Coordinates of all heavy atoms in Angstrom, one line a residue:
R221 N 30.1 3.3 15.4 CA 30.0 4.3 16.4 C 28.8 3.9 17.4 O 29.0 4.0 18.6 CB 29.7 5.7 15.8 CG 30.9 6.3 15.1 CD 30.7 7.7 14.9 NE 29.6 8.0 14.0 CZ 29.6 8.1 12.7 NH1 30.8 7.9 12.1 NH2 28.5 8.3 12.0
A222 N 27.7 3.4 16.8 CA 26.6 3.1 17.6 C 26.9 1.8 18.5 O 26.4 1.7 19.5 CB 25.4 2.9 16.8
L223 N 27.7 0.9 17.9 CA 28.0 -0.3 18.7 C 29.0 -0.1 19.8 O 29.0 -0.9 20.8 CB 28.6 -1.4 17.7 CG 27.6 -2.0 16.7 CD1 28.3 -2.8 15.8 CD2 26.4 -2.7 17.4
A224 N 29.8 0.9 19.7 CA 30.9 1.0 20.7 C 30.5 1.0 22.2 O 31.1 0.3 23.0 CB 31.7 2.4 20.4
P225 N 29.3 1.7 22.5 CA 28.9 1.7 24.0 C 28.0 0.6 24.2 O 27.4 0.6 25.4 CB 28.3 3.0 24.1 CG 27.7 3.4 22.8 CD 28.6 2.7 21.8
R226 N 27.8 -0.4 23.3 CA 26.8 -1.4 23.5 C 27.4 -2.8 23.4 O 27.4 -3.4 22.2 CB 25.7 -1.2 22.4 CG 24.9 0.0 22.5 CD 23.8 0.1 21.4 NE 22.9 1.2 21.6 CZ 22.9 2.4 21.1 NH1 24.1 2.8 20.5 NH2 22.0 3.3 21.4
P227 N 27.9 -3.3 24.4 CA 28.7 -4.6 24.3 C 27.8 -5.8 24.1 O 28.2 -6.9 23.7 CB 29.3 -4.8 25.7 CG 28.4 -3.8 26.7 CD 28.0 -2.7 25.8
W228 N 26.5 -5.6 24.2 CA 25.5 -6.7 23.9 C 25.2 -6.8 22.4 O 24.4 -7.7 22.0 CB 24.2 -6.4 24.7 CG 23.6 -5.1 24.5 CD1 23.9 -3.9 25.3 CD2 22.8 -4.6 23.4 NE1 23.2 -2.9 24.8 CE2 22.5 -3.2 23.6 CE3 22.2 -5.2 22.3 CZ2 21.7 -2.5 22.8 CZ3 21.4 -4.5 21.5 CH2 21.2 -3.1 21.7
A229 N 25.8 -6.0 21.6 CA 25.5 -6.1 20.1 C 26.9 -6.1 19.4 O 27.8 -5.4 19.9 CB 24.7 -4.9 19.6
R230 N 27.0 -6.8 18.3 CA 28.3 -6.9 17.6 C 28.0 -7.1 16.1 O 27.1 -7.9 15.7 CB 29.2 -8.1 18.1 CG 30.5 -8.2 17.4 CD 31.4 -9.2 18.1 NE 31.8 -8.7 19.4 CZ 32.7 -9.3 20.2 NH1 33.3 -10.4 19.7 NH2 33.0 -8.9 21.4
H231 N 28.9 -6.5 15.3 CA 28.9 -6.8 13.9 C 30.1 -7.7 13.5 O 31.3 -7.4 13.8 CB 29.1 -5.5 13.1 CG 29.1 -5.6 11.6 ND1 30.0 -4.9 10.8 CD2 28.5 -6.5 10.8 CE1 29.9 -5.3 9.5 NE2 28.9 -6.2 9.5
V232 N 29.8 -8.9 13.0 CA 30.8 -9.9 12.8 C 31.3 -9.9 11.3 O 32.2 -10.6 10.9 CB 30.4 -11.3 13.1 CG1 30.0 -11.4 14.6 CG2 29.2 -11.8 12.2
G233 N 30.8 -8.9 10.6 CA 31.3 -8.8 9.2 C 30.6 -9.7 8.2 O 29.5 -10.4 8.6

Side-chain angles (χ1 to χ4, degrees):
R221 288 194 299 271
L223 290 175
R226 297 176 167 94
W228 51 267
R230 180 172 295 188
H231 178 219
V232 297

